[in-house]
């Protein structure tokens, strides 16, 4: 539960957090996001994404995120809860990230 009134924000940014959270708890995060976002507000979400590259696998192991998902798994999860406006995958040199701009309908 965030300590903010309903409809407090136009934008939310989440980077590298959800891969530490179970599907059930991620649903709770989305509910709270919906509560604090104003109508038409957007969220930018960027998360670690599975890869077959050895360096990425080593980084993910060191990170200890128990819920690192593929791009398709992230997209499917977000599509259950919100509208996805834009997506892309990028490499920071070591790891791949899936990025989403989302909006609640």
């Amino acid at each position: 539960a965030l300590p903010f009134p309903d409809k407090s924000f136009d934008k939310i940014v989440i980077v590298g957090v959800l891969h530490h959270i179970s599907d059930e708890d991620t649903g709770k995060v989305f509910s709270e996001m919906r509560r604090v976002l104003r109508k038409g507000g957007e969220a930018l979400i960027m998360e670690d994404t599975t890869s077959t590259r050895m360096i990425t696998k080593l980084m993910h192991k060191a990170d200890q995120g128990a819920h690192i998902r593929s791009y398709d798994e992230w997209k499917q999860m977000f599509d259950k809860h919100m509208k996805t406006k834009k997506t892309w995958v990028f490499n920071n040199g070591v790891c791949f990230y899936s990025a989403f701009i989302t909006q609640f309908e």
Side-chain angles (χ1 to χ4, degrees):
L2 295 169
F4 303 106
D6 294 357
K7 312 299 181 211
S8 296
F9 299 98
D10 292 317
K11 307 285 184 194
I12 292 176
V13 176
I14 298 177
V15 179
V17 174
L18 300 179
H19 70 275
H20 293 282
I21 301 173
S22 70
D23 288 357
E24 179 182 339
D25 289 339
T26 300
K28 294 174 188 175
V29 170
F30 296 150
S31 293
E32 194 64 359
M33 288 171 56
R34 179 185 299 274
R35 183 185 71 77
V36 299
L37 265 177
R38 291 186 181 116
K39 183 176 180 166
E42 296 177 328
L44 168 61
I45 305 169
M46 294 188 293
E47 285 296 332
D48 289 65
T49 300
T50 57
S51 172
T52 58
R53 289 179 54 201
M54 185 56 67
I55 187 75
T56 303
K57 287 181 176 185
L58 290 171
M59 286 299 294
H60 286 169
K61 186 173 182 165
D63 177 85
Q64 298 180 357
H67 303 281
I68 298 172
R69 299 162 177 97
S70 69
Y71 168 85
D72 290 334
E73 290 169 321
W74 286 120
K75 177 127 178 43
Q76 183 178 26
M77 175 186 289
F78 298 148
D79 286 348
K80 283 185 195 175
H81 298 275
M82 60 198 83
K83 177 183 172 186
T84 301
K85 295 178 69 178
K86 182 177 180 180
T87 71
W88 66 100
V89 176
F90 65 94
N91 181 342
N92 72 357
V94 177
C95 294
F96 287 89
Y97 286 84
S98 293
F100 299 83
I101 296 177
T102 64
Q103 188 175 50
F104 292 101
E105 299 184 277

